[in-house]
Amino acid sequence: MKRIFEVDPWHVVSHELVPTDKRLQESMTSIGNGYMGMRGMFEEHYSNDTLKGIYIGGVWYPDKTRVGWWKNGYPDYFGKVINAVNFVKVNLTIDGDQVDLAKDDISDFMIDLDMHTGVLRRSFIVTKGEKHVQFQIDRFVSVAQKELFDVHYSVHNLSDEPVQVGFISQIDADVFNEDANYDEQFWQVLDKRHAVTGGSMVAETKPNDFGTPRFTLGMQMMHLTDFRGSNAPDTEKAVTNIFRGTLAPDETKNFEKRVVVVTSRDYPDMSALRAGMAKLAETVHAQTYDELLKAHVAVWAKRWELADVAIDGDDAAQQGIRFNLFQLFSTYYGEDKRLNLGPKGFTGEKYGGATYWDTEAFGVPFYLSLAKPKVTENLLEYRYNQLDGAFHNAKMQGLDGALFPMVTFNGIECHNEWEITFEEIHRNGSIAYAIYNYTRYTGDETYLKEKGIDVLTAISRFWADRVHFSERKQQYMIHGVTGPNEYENNVNNNWYTNFLARWTLQYTLASLKKVAAAKRDTLKVSADELAMWQDIVDRMYFPHDDDLGIFVQNDTFLDKDLKPASSIPADQRPINQHWSWDHILRSPYIKQADVLQGIYYFMDHFTPEQKKANFDFYEPLTVHESSLSPAVHAILAADLHYEEKAVEMYQRTARLDLDNYNNDTVDGLHITSMTGSWLAIVQGFAGMRVRDGKLSFAPFAPKEWSHYQFHVNFRGRLLKVDVDQKQTTVELVSGDALTIELNGEDVILKDKVTADTKA
């Protein structure tokens, strides 16, 4: 755990520039708008360690999978997000000498991510000899105009004599990836143009051997400034504008750089891309800086009006939930159904930048409550539109049906670890569960009947082919899998995987009865096939232990040396950074919720005694080294009235990155797991459930919190839930009256209802 930023309800702010923490600072001050984003690296030259990263939604490159030997069915390529052309770059000079914050005399440093407005601010004073110059820098990527990046400088001469200040502004294609692709470069410059005060570049990803599309990136920069532009030298990979001017003592001048960024994802050809870029540049140029900023801030204000979670009594908890909400909405707000919720968003290169099962497991319930149903439907359609790729993935294993990918940009599996790619098949169950979750929450079965049933049927066919029948036990089993606990590979009968496989078959059988006959005909599900599915449902094997009263994680789990995670020496945590892989695999330690993930999905399917026995057994063995782990444990702990554990796990999920719990935030933020802090409050502390179409709450307030408040959308209504230590109030902000359950009793919500808060 390491905290480098001050605790503030609306700001992520620091007044220190610590070189050893630079990458950590960059990750945590990342900004984005769903279309593009960037780490909080400096615009100007910085000669010390840094990870500069700019990323564009949906832009990626297939890297050839590199392994010591080939395996049948292995993906041809590993899809990776790539670092975009650097269009934010602005080097500074003072009297012709380059500013380098790694070497120069820097004072009064400040960096501030204003989460309420979505603006990243920096300020510092540079001293060179007798010259002292103060820089104030404001950066944003507009949520009102998705293609716009803007950075604004205010420069103040604190010296007793005049000083010349220079700005060297560039669009620079000389960029590298660091996390993968072995420091290759991926952008080829097709065209570049520049005048004295602006310029443009069009670049394209280099050819690949796999037939995946190449991407074209167009960038046009404009500058509005009191400084005078001059001709800049032409280079192969950069477009440069230079501006210089003299500041009298105590004088302040401004410099603004605007960049319009367009991609071939939105334009059919080069001509259309150039025309679109020019039109957007004209629109942006016609507005003042204040107008552009005001429009951006107004959209963020509207988002916060719906989504904000207010907490009184614990500023660290307040900062944590707002930070996570800010980064989630900076990554994905549902405007583009071709995109998904990347695990690192726009904050780093790790994990390939594509979608994981995290979206269905954790993102869907979050967006269901805080956005229009269409946003979640777009997430479901993302998978529906990639069914052909899922069929291909299953075929590569010699199996029927559809296997949705662990990592993808286009539906084709592009992850290069066998034990994850083709063993962690439980992800198929989460994709089916998301359809159920959406239908249950919205009450709308249209998607299920028209498109979702195609996905369910394809997944069910995969499960039916992937199981095998044990003649000895007369039961169906699934061998050779990896469950959510990735610290065990190639196990037999992972309880969670078997449970989701059986549930998916049950849900598909029930759903097929609801669809039109013509639709069933197109799916070509025979009576024999339905009978086989039902037989698997009836005779699926589940490892269990009657003495302990638990569902056993897999066939041999109880044969391990079962010592609690508290016995691991502190200097060996996290174990994934200190132990060999074989040591981890032999240990009993669990990376994240596994059996408990299944119980979380189906909370009302299990008795309190079952939930308690399994939580009490598995949580002490869990090291929580997956960012997805704390939220599930927080919700289950709250359900079991383990308040201290629920609060501990909330703090861990809410401040996972802010406090660098797992010592890996330098690579980028854990975007998908950020949903966990909201889920821990709403499903955990407030006890929100949907039972038989009815919304239910059973809130308690953590002892440290005097009050908390949040909103949820539910079936055309907007509700505000207000919880303090004594009383819970649920208010119908908009929509028709509805019946809800509050602390176990049905109440009709027309305006406001109140009840005692659980002790």
Side-chain angles (χ1 to χ4, degrees):
M1 178 175 170
K2 184 175 189 178
R3 184 175 294 180
I4 67 169
F5 284 90
E6 299 163 18
V7 173
D8 184 284
W10 277 111
H11 296 264
V12 178
V13 61
S14 174
H15 292 85
E16 294 183 291
L17 176 56
V18 181
T20 54
D21 293 332
K22 183 67 166 57
R23 291 189 179 217
L24 199 55
Q25 165 259 304
E26 291 171 352
S27 292
M28 290 192 282
T29 54
S30 298
I31 58 174
N33 65 0
Y35 174 81
M36 62 178 171
M38 61 212 61
R39 292 170 56 82
M41 72 284 186
F42 298 160
E43 288 89 354
E44 64 274 4
H45 179 68
Y46 182 79
S47 61
N48 216 323
D49 183 54
T50 180
L51 175 55
K52 295 186 176 183
I54 303 170
Y55 311 102
I56 312 296
V59 173
W60 61 284
Y61 188 85
D63 177 33
K64 181 175 175 58
T65 302
R66 305 172 192 227
V67 292
W69 63 93
W70 208 255
K71 302 179 179 76
N72 289 331
Y74 214 63
D76 291 331
Y77 56 80
F78 186 22
K80 292 292 297 181
V81 66
I82 54 174
N83 198 357
V85 173
N86 186 350
F87 53 79
V88 311
K89 189 173 181 180
V90 180
N91 285 328
L92 307 174
T93 63
I94 295 176
D95 287 342
D97 189 12
Q98 180 171 257
V99 172
D100 182 350
L101 268 64
K103 295 180 178 178
D104 285 329
D105 182 356
I106 305 297
S107 59
D108 289 20
F109 177 85
M110 185 275 295
I111 184 165
D112 175 14
L113 175 59
D114 183 338
M115 297 181 287
H116 194 266
T117 63
V119 176
L120 177 61
R121 296 186 173 90
R122 289 190 295 127
S123 62
F124 50 86
I125 297 172
V126 181
T127 297
K128 286 183 177 286
E130 299 299 317
K131 304 294 179 69
H132 312 281
V133 182
Q134 183 179 51
F135 293 88
Q136 166 79 41
I137 306 169
D138 291 1
R139 170 201 292 185
F140 68 93
V141 283
S142 176
V143 291
Q145 180 69 64
K146 67 179 183 179
E147 298 90 352
L148 173 64
F149 163 82
D150 195 299
V151 58
H152 182 277
Y153 293 76
S154 178
V155 190
H156 184 202
N157 182 11
L158 300 175
S159 312
D160 294 329
E161 54 185 295
V163 61
Q164 187 190 68
V165 176
F167 296 83
I168 305 170
S169 177
Q170 287 189 318
I171 302 174
D172 184 7
D174 190 20
V175 296
F176 296 83
N177 269 47
E178 181 178 285
D179 182 63
N181 296 312
Y182 312 95
D183 292 325
E184 293 181 45
Q185 290 191 305
F186 296 95
W187 293 103
Q188 298 179 340
V189 177
L190 301 182
D191 180 55
K192 51 189 177 64
R193 307 172 187 179
H194 77 270
V196 172
T197 60
S200 67
M201 177 185 289
V202 177
E204 185 178 52
T205 52
K206 68 179 186 178
N208 65 77
D209 298 327
F210 308 104
T212 65
R214 298 172 68 183
F215 294 95
T216 305
L217 193 61
M219 298 142 289
Q220 183 164 331
M221 61 180 175
M222 301 153 275
H223 302 90
L224 289 84
T225 181
D226 300 325
F227 295 89
R228 178 177 296 179
S230 60
N231 287 320
D234 188 40
T235 59
E236 181 182 354
K237 292 191 174 183
V239 176
T240 307
N241 291 130
I242 298 176
F243 301 86
R244 297 187 181 92
T246 300
L247 275 69
D250 202 33
E251 184 180 11
T252 299
K253 287 185 178 180
N254 297 316
F255 176 86
E256 182 190 358
K257 177 178 184 177
R258 302 175 183 177
V259 185
V260 166
V261 182
V262 297
T263 81
S264 54
R265 295 178 68 251
D266 297 321
Y267 297 94
D269 54 42
M270 181 72 74
S271 176
L273 182 144
R274 275 208 162 276
M277 181 169 65
K279 185 176 181 180
L280 284 166
E282 184 179 348
T283 300
V284 166
H285 192 267
Q287 300 174 68
T288 66
Y289 174 74
D290 288 343
E291 288 171 336
L292 294 172
L293 180 61
K294 183 179 179 180
H296 167 75
V297 171
V299 176
W300 269 113
K302 190 173 182 179
R303 291 180 177 183
W304 285 117
E305 186 178 353
L306 168 64
D308 188 30
V309 176
I311 298 171
D312 293 329
D314 188 338
D315 284 348
Q318 178 68 88
Q319 184 185 39
I321 183 63
R322 283 183 175 149
F323 178 70
N324 292 345
L325 289 168
F326 173 79
Q327 293 295 348
L328 280 162
F329 291 148
S330 296
T331 301
Y332 182 83
Y333 207 71
E335 296 96 339
D336 188 343
K337 66 182 179 181
R338 298 169 298 176
L339 299 178
N340 206 287
L341 192 60
K344 288 292 181 185
F346 301 113
T347 74
E349 302 163 15
K350 199 172 181 180
Y351 299 136
T355 180
Y356 281 58
W357 66 283
D358 308 15
T359 293
E360 283 72 27
F362 298 91
V364 162
F366 171 83
Y367 284 99
L368 275 172
S369 293
L370 291 182
K372 295 178 181 179
K374 186 63 180 176
V375 171
T376 306
E377 191 172 324
N378 283 346
L379 290 173
L380 300 183
E381 288 205 12
Y382 180 90
R383 298 293 192 179
Y384 173 80
N385 291 333
Q386 294 183 351
L387 254 176
D388 286 345
F391 287 131
H392 169 83
N393 300 332
K395 185 178 180 180
M396 294 296 284
Q397 288 198 34
L399 295 168
D400 289 339
L403 174 59
F404 282 90
M406 189 66 181
V407 177
T408 194
F409 291 90
N410 57 6
I412 301 296
E413 179 63 69
C414 58
H415 191 278
N416 65 355
E417 297 176 59
W418 182 269
E419 66 274 14
I420 303 299
T421 304
F422 288 136
E423 289 187 355
E424 202 165 332
I425 55 176
H426 66 80
R427 59 186 183 265
N428 250 12
S430 289
I431 289 164
Y433 180 79
I435 298 170
Y436 161 76
N437 211 2
Y438 170 82
T439 305
R440 174 183 61 167
Y441 194 90
T442 64
D444 183 0
E445 294 187 333
T446 305
Y447 177 82
L448 169 67
K449 293 176 180 179
E450 294 180 356
K451 296 180 179 178
I453 194 63
D454 297 63
V455 175
L456 293 174
T457 302
I459 291 174
S460 293
R461 284 174 169 149
F462 174 84
W463 287 129
D465 203 19
R466 184 61 169 82
V467 302
H468 72 273
F469 188 69
S470 167
E471 291 290 347
R472 185 171 69 90
K473 289 197 173 185
Q474 290 292 295
Q475 289 180 292
Y476 291 92
M477 298 183 172
I478 307 178
H479 283 188
V481 300
T482 299
N485 174 29
E486 293 172 341
Y487 288 175
E488 288 189 307
N489 301 150
N490 201 34
V491 300
N492 294 335
N493 294 309
N494 171 253
W495 181 90
Y496 173 75
T497 303
N498 288 18
F499 187 87
L500 274 187
R502 182 185 70 172
W503 174 84
T504 302
L505 291 166
Q506 285 177 309
Y507 184 51
T508 306
L509 287 166
S511 298
L512 281 167
K513 296 176 182 178
K514 298 180 179 182
V515 304
K519 182 66 173 179
R520 288 198 300 271
D521 290 343
T522 63
L523 295 170
K524 299 179 181 178
V525 183
S526 69
D528 287 345
E529 188 172 24
L530 295 175
M532 170 59 76
W533 293 358
Q534 187 61 56
D535 194 46
I536 297 170
V537 168
D538 294 339
R539 294 200 280 173
M540 180 67 84
Y541 167 75
F542 295 101
H544 65 279
D545 186 275
D546 291 336
D547 293 336
L548 294 170
I550 64 167
F551 310 125
V552 181
Q553 190 162 285
N554 59 67
D555 278 347
T556 60
F557 186 81
L558 294 182
D559 296 326
K560 294 192 173 192
D561 184 11
L562 299 174
K563 295 179 180 178
S566 59
S567 66
I568 305 171
D571 62 0
Q572 295 180 33
R573 301 284 296 269
I575 61 173
N576 62 15
Q577 296 174 25
H578 293 88
W579 289 4
S580 66
W581 191 243
D582 75 287
H583 188 180
I584 290 173
L585 293 176
R586 288 184 281 109
S587 81
Y589 301 120
I590 301 170
K591 183 180 181 184
Q592 67 192 81
D594 195 303
V595 168
L596 298 183
Q597 181 76 30
I599 294 176
Y600 160 66
Y601 272 170
F602 302 99
M603 293 278 275
D604 294 334
H605 291 211
F606 302 97
T607 67
E609 293 76 18
Q610 287 174 319
K611 287 185 277 191
K612 182 179 188 309
N614 282 280
F615 188 91
D616 290 351
F617 180 80
Y618 286 111
E619 196 283 327
L621 298 170
T622 305
V623 290
H624 302 294
E625 290 175 11
S626 164
S627 61
L628 302 174
S629 187
V632 173
H633 289 82
I635 295 164
L636 288 172
D639 185 76
L640 292 166
H641 309 293
Y642 294 171
E643 180 181 329
E644 289 186 7
K645 177 58 70 172
V647 171
E648 174 196 340
M649 290 292 100
Y650 166 77
Q651 291 170 339
R652 186 169 181 128
T653 190
R655 298 192 61 86
L656 181 85
D657 287 315
L658 283 172
D659 291 344
N660 196 21
Y661 267 95
N662 288 342
N663 194 34
D664 59 359
T665 300
V666 291
D667 297 324
L669 304 176
H670 299 82
I671 297 297
T672 46
S673 70
M674 287 178 167
T675 58
S677 52
W678 187 89
L679 295 171
I681 292 174
V682 176
Q683 295 183 354
F685 302 163
M688 189 179 87
R689 307 280 185 270
V690 179
R691 298 188 177 105
D692 298 322
K694 187 188 302 177
L695 201 58
S696 172
F697 297 97
F700 78 89
K703 292 182 177 65
E704 296 84 358
W705 299 9
S706 58
H707 160 265
Y708 65 95
Q709 180 188 100
F710 61 88
H711 291 83
V712 292
N713 283 314
F714 182 73
R715 300 191 178 186
R717 288 90 164 180
L718 178 63
L719 281 65
K720 181 170 72 173
V721 181
D722 198 300
V723 184
D724 63 30
Q725 292 292 336
K726 295 182 178 180
Q727 184 173 275
T728 294
T729 302
V730 182
E731 178 183 351
L732 181 64
V733 178
S734 64
D736 297 333
L738 78 161
T739 299
I740 65 170
E741 184 182 295
L742 185 57
N743 289 345
E745 295 185 6
D746 285 355
V747 295
I748 299 174
L749 181 60
K750 296 180 179 179
D751 180 19
K752 292 182 181 179
V753 295
T754 61
D756 291 340
T757 298
K758 290 193 305 181

